[in-house]
Amino acid sequence: MTVISRFLGYAFERSTQLVQGLQRSKLNISDDSLVVIAQYAGIKGQIPHLYVLLIINAVVASFTFWNLAPDWITIGGGTLLVGACAWRLFAWTLFATPASTISVESARAILHRTTVAVVPISVGFTGYALLLDQYAGTLEHASIAVCIAITVIGCIFCLIHLPKAAMLVQATALLPFAAYHIYHGSPVFIAMAINVVIVTSLMVRVLLKAFAAFTNLILSQARLANQQRETGRLAEDNERLAMTDVLTGLPNRRMFFATLERWIAECSESGGLFAVGVLDLDRFKPVNDVYGHAVGDCLLAAVGARLASVAGEEALVARLGGDEFGLLIRGDGATVALQAQQICDCLSRTFEIDELQLSLGCSIGLALFPDAGRSAMELFDRSDYSLYKVKSSRRGGYALFSSAYEDHRKSQLALEAAVQAMNLNAELQIEFQPIVNLDTMEVLDVEALCRWKSPAIGAVEPEQFITTAERLGLMNPITMHLFHLALLSCLALPKSIGLSFNLSAHDITSGDTVRQLVQHIRETGFDPKRITFEITETSLMRDLDAAIAGIGELRAQGAAIALDDFGMGYSSLSYLNRLPLDKVKVDRSFVADMDEVSGSKIISAVLALCHTMELDCIIEGVETESQLRQLREMGCQVAQGYLFCPPVPLRNLSTWLADHNQNFQLSPARNIPGQMRHSAVQGEANDLDEPFAVAR
C-alpha cells in the first residue's frame, strides 16, 4: 500500500506539472472561436462513450477481484467510480448545451473543466487498478495490465478533439503503471508496460497530427465560408445593380418584368388583382433638346424620386428606358385609377432644376390582371396600347385597357400584318390633285396623293397607314417607291406644272432617306425646282435638328419646302420663324369654319402673316363656290380642293387639264370651277373617296 501511495503521489505531482506545462503550450484551448466550437461539438459527441468505457472497465475489474480483494475495495471503490462516471455520463447526455447554440466563452470554459477533470478521474482509476493488483495472481496481474491499457487507448480515442486531455490521460495513467511494474521487476510485465507506453505515445503523436489537420480543416472551412459569404454579398450587390436604373435609382426594365412574372404567379393562386402600367412623360423631349442632356438627366432623376414617393408599398415603379416608366399597382380598377390620377397630378407640378422652372406631365396606359391578360407580354402590350390611345386622344391622363381597345388592337395587328405583306407595285397607286392660282385659274402644281387598298383588309385610313409603316420601319421603301413613281408620272405633264410631295416624320429626319430622294431626282432627270416637299409639324417635333438638316439638303438641290397642315399645332409660329420655308399650307379645317367669324379671321391673319414673311400661302379643302369667293375677297391667291378637282389618276388628270385649259382660254373670268369638276372628272373620279397624302 505504501508503494502504491508513493506511485500515485508521484503520478499526481507529475500530472500537475504536465497540466501547467500544457497550459503554456500551443496545445491550450484554441483562441479561434470556430475551432473552440468545433472542439466542443466533437467532445460532446465522444465524452459519453468515454464514460461508458470507464464504467464497463470498472465493473469488469470489480467482478474479477470479487473473491480476491476486500469488499470495501471491490464493492466500495467500484461503486464510487461507477457512480462518478454515471453522473458525468448523465450530465453530458441530458444537460449539455447544443453546439449550435452555445457561446464561445461557455464552450471554452467547458473544455477547460473537462481537461482538468481528466486528472482526478485518471488517477482514481489507476489507483483503483493498482489496489486490486495487490490481491492478484498471475492471471489477475495480466487482467489489470490489459484493463489499464484498454482504458488509456479508449480515452485517447475519445479525447481526439482535446489533445491536452488525451496527453494527461496517458501521463497520469501510464507513468504510475510503468513505474509500478519496473519497481516489481517482473520482466514480462516490464516489457508489457514499455510496449503500452510506446504504443500510446505513437497514438498521441498521430492524435496531434489529426488535431492539427482538424484545426486546419475548420479554419479552411471558415475561410471558405467567408469567401462564399463575400461572393454571395458581391453577387447580391451585382444583382441589385443589374436590377437598378443607375440614373434614377428605381428598378430597371429587368426587375420590372421579373416582378411582373412573380405577381402573376402569386395572384393566379390567390386570386389577387393588379394592374400593369406604362408611363410616358409629356414635353420631356423639348426640355432635353433645349437645355441639354445634363438637365434632362437631372429632371429624370427628380421624376423618379416623385414617382417613388407617391407609389407607396402596394406599387412598384421602374424606369424602362428614356422617359418611359413602368408601373405595377395592386388593387381593383377603382384603386388603380385613383393611383394613376395621383401620379398624373404629382408629375404635373413644376420641377425646379438648376434654378429652371420646368413643366412636364405624363400619360399612362393601364391593363388589369386577369381581365386584360394572364401573361407578362399580354399585359405589357395592352398597357402600351392603352398608352398609345391616351396619347392620341388626351395627353396628361390615363386609360384602362377595355374590350373596345381589344377590338381596335386586333384591327391594328391586322393592319400591321397587311403593311408587312404589302406588294408595293400591285397595291399602291398615286393620284394627283391640282393646286390652282385663284387669280388666273392656272394650275401651279399637283399634289401627289397615295391610295392603298389591301387585299386583306380593304382601304386604309391615312393616319393608320403612315403611322403603322413608320412604327414597323417600312416607311423608307414606301416613300422611295411612291416618289419615283410620282416623278415618272409628272414627266408627262407640262413643265410649268410642279410636283408637291409629302414627307413623313421618318423621311425628313433620316439622312439616308433625304439622300435617296436626291438620287431619284437625278436619275429621272426631273427639274428639282419643280418639286415642293411638304412636311408636317409632327415631323419637325420628332427631331428638329435632323429635320432642319434634311430641309437644308433638299433646298440646296433647288426644291421648295412647304409646312403642311399649318395651324393644327401649338407651336407653328415658332417653326415659321426658325425654319427655311417657302410655302405654308393652311389646314382644311379653317376653310370649313369660314362661315363663322372666328374662322374667317384666322384665315385672314394667316394670309397677312405669310405676306409679311414672304411665304406663299396655299389654302386646302376648298369645296364650295362660296368659300372660293370669300378667299378671293381676302386676297388668297393659291388653293386646292374638291371644288376644282378631286385627286385623280394621271390619265384623268390629263383630261381635266385639257378641259381646264380650254375653259380657261374661252372665259377666264367666268365662274367655271363647278363646270370643270363635273365635266372633266366624271365617272371614275366621282366615285373616289377622300385620299390621303403620300407618306404623310
Side-chain angles (χ1 to χ4, degrees), residues 445 483 487 498-501 503 508 514 517-518 521 526-534 550-562 580-583:
D445 299 296
F483 185 60
L487 290 176
L499 168 66
S500 188
F501 189 85
L503 296 179
I508 194 61
V514 171
L517 291 171
V518 174
I521 295 172
F526 197 89
D527 185 359
K529 294 180 180 180
R530 295 173 58 189
I531 301 175
T532 298
F533 288 105
E534 298 185 17
I551 290 172
E553 189 168 348
L554 293 174
R555 292 186 87 241
Q557 303 300 317
I561 304 296
L581 300 174
D582 301 285
K583 304 176 183 180

Side-chain angles (χ1 to χ4, degrees), residues 395-587:
R395 285 177 177 266
Y398 66 90
L400 285 168
F401 190 84
S402 64
S403 57
Y405 281 8
E406 177 63 13
D407 295 339
H408 195 279
R409 180 173 175 272
K410 289 180 179 178
S411 300
Q412 186 67 36
L413 292 175
L415 174 60
E416 290 180 359
V419 171
Q420 290 174 320
M422 179 191 297
N423 185 325
L424 298 179
N425 294 317
E427 299 177 25
L428 289 180
Q429 296 179 356
I430 288 185
E431 295 181 347
F432 299 91
Q433 186 176 34
I435 299 174
V436 180
N437 184 317
L438 299 186
D439 292 335
T440 65
M441 296 305 297
E442 178 186 3
V443 176
L444 303 177
D445 299 296
V446 289
E447 181 177 359
L449 301 166
C450 174
R451 284 186 180 278
W452 177 46
K453 188 173 182 180
S454 167
I457 60 177
V460 182
E461 291 288 334
E463 293 183 357
Q464 291 179 328
F465 167 49
I466 300 306
T467 302
T468 302
E470 284 193 310
R471 185 170 62 251
L472 296 177
L474 300 176
M475 200 62 244
N476 178 271
I478 293 173
T479 299
M480 292 303 105
H481 173 77
L482 293 173
F483 185 60
H484 187 75
L485 187 59
L487 290 176
L488 294 178
S489 299
C490 287
L491 285 174
L493 298 177
K495 293 184 178 181
S496 61
I497 298 177
L499 168 66
S500 188
F501 189 85
N502 292 269
L503 296 179
S504 72
H506 173 272
D507 295 331
I508 194 61
T509 57
S510 170
D512 289 339
T513 299
V514 171
R515 285 187 286 274
Q516 290 178 47
L517 291 171
V518 174
Q519 183 64 29
H520 278 293
I521 295 172
R522 293 172 179 172
E523 289 177 354
T524 58
F526 197 89
D527 185 359
K529 294 180 180 180
R530 295 173 58 189
I531 301 175
T532 298
F533 288 105
E534 298 185 17
I535 58 176
T536 63
E537 187 174 325
T538 303
S539 64
L540 299 173
M541 292 177 64
R542 177 171 180 169
D543 189 337
L544 183 58
D545 293 336
I548 291 175
I551 290 172
E553 189 168 348
L554 293 174
R555 292 186 87 241
Q557 303 300 317
I561 304 296
L563 182 62
D564 197 11
D565 295 339
F566 181 77
M568 296 300 292
Y570 68 92
S571 58
S572 295
L573 292 177
S574 67
Y575 291 130
L576 288 182
N577 185 51
R578 296 181 61 183
L579 296 173
L581 300 174
D582 301 285
K583 304 176 183 180
V584 170
K585 298 188 74 172
V586 179
D587 187 73

Side-chain angles (χ1 to χ4, degrees), residues 151-464:
T151 300
V152 171
I153 293 173
C155 289
I156 289 174
F157 274 113
C158 291
L159 295 172
I160 190 172
H161 295 97
L162 200 57
K164 182 168 59 177
M167 295 178 68
L168 285 173
V169 168
Q170 184 196 30
T172 54
L174 292 185
L175 286 178
F177 172 72
Y180 176 81
H181 285 291
I182 290 172
Y183 177 79
H184 281 286
S186 171
V188 174
F189 285 99
I190 290 174
M192 183 182 295
I194 293 173
N195 185 47
V196 171
V197 169
I198 292 173
V199 171
T200 55
S201 297
L202 292 175
M203 291 179 61
V204 168
R205 182 176 178 82
V206 173
L207 178 147
L208 293 177
K209 291 184 177 181
F211 181 74
F214 166 78
T215 302
N216 290 333
L217 177 62
I218 297 299
L219 295 177
S220 297
Q221 289 177 340
R223 287 192 294 269
L224 178 60
N226 287 333
Q227 292 175 354
Q228 291 174 337
R229 283 193 294 270
E230 181 65 17
T231 301
R233 186 187 65 79
L234 292 175
E236 291 176 358
D237 290 343
N238 290 335
E239 183 177 4
R240 184 173 61 255
L241 291 174
M243 295 290 187
T244 302
D245 177 63
V246 178
L247 180 61
T248 62
L250 295 174
N252 61 11
R253 190 181 191 90
R254 181 184 299 178
M255 182 64 174
F256 174 80
F257 280 102
T259 305
L260 174 55
E261 294 283 4
R262 179 165 53 82
W263 281 28
I264 290 174
E266 292 174 355
C267 293
S268 296
E269 295 182 359
S270 65
L273 302 175
F274 71 92
V276 178
V278 181
L279 181 153
D280 190 71
L281 296 179
D282 299 329
R283 301 184 297 279
F284 173 76
K285 189 177 186 306
V287 172
N288 202 47
D289 290 342
V290 172
Y291 297 107
H293 294 295
V295 172
D297 288 347
C298 292
L299 185 56
L300 286 175
V303 168
R306 281 197 190 179
L307 288 174
S309 66
V310 76
E313 296 181 356
E314 294 301 311
L316 178 138
V317 180
R319 184 182 178 215
L320 303 181
D323 61 344
E324 187 178 65
F325 294 81
L327 304 173
L328 296 177
I329 306 173
R330 293 191 186 275
D332 56 15
T335 302
V336 169
L338 178 61
Q339 180 84 67
Q341 187 60 55
Q342 290 175 346
I343 292 174
C344 290
D345 295 341
C346 170
L347 295 186
S348 66
R349 298 197 303 270
T350 302
F351 289 85
E352 184 173 347
I353 307 294
D354 293 338
E355 300 182 354
L356 295 172
Q357 301 294 322
L358 304 175
S359 295
L360 291 178
C362 71
S363 301
I364 304 175
L366 298 162
L368 291 173
F369 172 89
D371 296 341
R374 291 183 172 272
S375 71
M377 285 300 100
E378 283 181 334
L379 291 168
F380 185 80
D381 287 346
R382 289 169 183 178
S383 63
D384 191 53
Y385 188 77
S386 298
L387 174 64
Y388 162 76
K389 294 297 290 183
V390 74
K391 291 179 68 174
S392 301
S393 58
R394 51 184 182 87
R395 285 177 177 266
Y398 66 90
L400 285 168
F401 190 84
S402 64
S403 57
Y405 281 8
E406 177 63 13
D407 295 339
H408 195 279
R409 180 173 175 272
K410 289 180 179 178
S411 300
Q412 186 67 36
L413 292 175
L415 174 60
E416 290 180 359
V419 171
Q420 290 174 320
M422 179 191 297
N423 185 325
L424 298 179
N425 294 317
E427 299 177 25
L428 289 180
Q429 296 179 356
I430 288 185
E431 295 181 347
F432 299 91
Q433 186 176 34
I435 299 174
V436 180
N437 184 317
L438 299 186
D439 292 335
T440 65
M441 296 305 297
E442 178 186 3
V443 176
L444 303 177
D445 299 296
V446 289
E447 181 177 359
L449 301 166
C450 174
R451 284 186 180 278
W452 177 46
K453 188 173 182 180
S454 167
I457 60 177
V460 182
E461 291 288 334
E463 293 183 357
Q464 291 179 328

